[in-house]
Every structure is written in C-alpha cells, then in structure tokens.
Amino acid sequence: MSRSKSNRSFTRRLVVVAATAASAVVLAACGGSDSGGPSAHHSPSKSGSAPSSSAGAHNAADVAFAKGMIPHHRQAVEMAGLAAGRASSSQVKELAAKIKQAQDPEIKTMSGWLTAWGEQVPEEMPGMDHSEHSEHSGSSGHSGMPGMDHSGMPGMMSAKEMAALKKKSGKDFDKAFMEMMVGHHRGAVKMAGTEKAKGAYGPAKTLADAVIKAQEAEIARMNRLLGKG
C-alpha cells in the first residue's frame, strides 16, 4: 500500500515537472517572439548606425563637401608652396605659409571622414586640371574616371593659370598669387556655405564655419595688400 502511494506520489511529481518544463518552453518561445520583435526592428538600426556611431550621422552634402574640398585645398597648398621661392613680399610668404599650415591638416581630417564613411578619397592627380574653366569642362570629365571631374568647383585654377603662376617671381608673383588666391578662397567660402546649409555631420559643419571665417579674413587681408581694401 505504501508502495502504491509512493508510486502515485512519484507520478504526480513527474507530471508537475513535465508541466513546469512545458510552461518554461512556452514562455521562452513567447519571450523569444516578443524580444525578437523589437530586436528585429532595433538590430538593423544598430548595425545601420554603426558607421554613424564611429563617424557621426552624415548625408550626401557632407560627402560632396569633403570630396570637393580635398582637391580644392590641395591646389591652395600647391599654390602656397610656390611662394617660398618666388614671392618678394614677406607678408605674402607669411600668408602662404599660414594657408598651407591650416589646410594640410584639414585635408587629412576630411580624408579620414570619407574613409570612415566607406567613401573613396579623391586621388592626387599631378597636373590634372580641376578648373571650372577647364578646356575639358564641357566634356564628361578630365580622365573619364568616375568621381575625378572637379570642373564644377568654384575658384579652382586652370592648368594654364597654375603654369603661368609658376613662371612668375618677385612682385609679379605676389600680385598674381594674391589675385588667384582671393578667387580660390571665394570658391572655398561658397562651398563651405553650402555645407553649412545642407550638411548634417557636425564636425564638417564646424570645419565649414572655420573655413568661412579664416578665408574671408585672408581675402580681406590680400585685398588690402593689393590696394583694393
């Protein structure tokens, strides 16, 4: 009799254990379904924002700004590099050195953004004409390579203008350099204004603001040196 009771007690325990296990499975399934719902919505968001978390939220205007300003800055740095051995004015030499010192790091910064965003950094193309007034500006591009046509960028000097500047020295160089750089700076200010108005990436908008302030001040200084201020 006790043995029969013991068997029944054991059987009841098995039933309880089985029921508990079944309930756990059901709850786990429900929990998995519930958590799977939000995670299905949030996971893509997290993975999609992974580049944003490392590089910040950005848009097409930010990419265009960096891709345009990098070659624009490179040309300014190239022009500034000519001053050391050609300019006669110490003020022009000082200004050129300041331009190079400011824009070289900015090129590196913007290149870093593009890399973080999975975008191609514009290649340096020695001798390539990025000018708005390029002989090739009416064609599909200078080299036919996607992303290498900078013909629409304001303020860029043509290959002929750069070659002519390289041949000058003394006061002739000073005058030509400042006149060209004023136009170049105005183009950069225009590009930076577009970034401030349409960009989304905070550091890019901050850089654009710094470009506007610095280059407008340099435009005013060069115009004074040219007797136009």
Side-chain angles (χ1 to χ4, degrees):
M1 191 66 182
S2 61
R3 188 173 189 181
S4 175
K5 288 181 180 179
S6 175
N7 287 338
R8 282 199 298 273
S9 176
F10 178 71
T11 301
R12 281 197 297 270
R13 284 199 300 271
L14 285 177
V15 170
V16 171
V17 169
T20 303
S23 298
V25 169
V26 171
L27 288 172
C30 293
S33 175
D34 291 342
S35 62
S39 67
H41 293 291
H42 293 306
S43 292
S45 172
K46 288 180 181 178
S47 61
S49 65
S52 298
S53 64
S54 60
H58 68 282
N59 62 16
D62 300 313
V63 174
F65 171 69
K67 285 192 172 185
M69 195 62 82
I70 286 171
H72 203 276
H73 270 22
R74 282 174 180 160
Q75 190 179 68
V77 168
E78 181 185 358
M79 291 169 66
L82 300 174
R86 292 173 174 81
S88 63
S89 167
S90 60
Q91 293 186 78
V92 170
K93 290 182 179 181
E94 178 193 349
L95 178 64
K98 183 179 178 182
I99 289 170
K100 189 175 187 302
Q101 184 179 18
Q103 297 195 24
D104 257 338
E106 289 175 352
I107 291 170
K108 292 181 177 66
T109 296
M110 290 184 286
S111 297
W113 294 343
L114 291 174
T115 299
W117 297 337
E119 299 285 347
Q120 184 177 359
V121 177
E123 295 180 13
E124 289 194 61
M125 301 294 286
M128 177 169 282
D129 183 1
H130 301 295
S131 161
E132 181 178 19
H133 307 291
S134 164
E135 294 176 352
H136 304 290
S137 62
S139 66
S140 61
H142 307 302
S143 64
M145 294 175 64
M148 295 309 297
D149 181 9
H150 303 292
S151 60
M153 283 192 298
M156 291 293 279
M157 300 298 115
S158 70
K160 288 182 179 179
E161 288 171 318
M162 290 296 292
L165 182 64
K166 291 175 183 179
K167 293 177 182 178
K168 296 182 183 294
S169 61
K171 291 183 178 180
D172 286 343
F173 176 88
D174 295 343
K175 183 174 184 292
F177 172 82
M178 288 189 289
E179 288 176 344
M180 290 171 68
M181 193 61 82
V182 165
H184 201 272
H185 273 21
R186 283 175 177 157
V189 168
K190 182 177 180 181
M191 293 165 68
T194 299
E195 166 60 20
K196 284 188 68 178
K198 299 181 178 180
Y201 185 53
K205 292 166 77 73
T206 299
L207 176 59
D209 188 58
V211 166
I212 291 171
K213 290 177 181 177
Q215 298 202 16
E216 282 185 341
E218 289 170 355
I219 288 169
R221 183 182 178 188
M222 287 184 284
N223 279 331
R224 286 195 298 271
L225 292 173
L226 287 166
K228 298 178 182 180

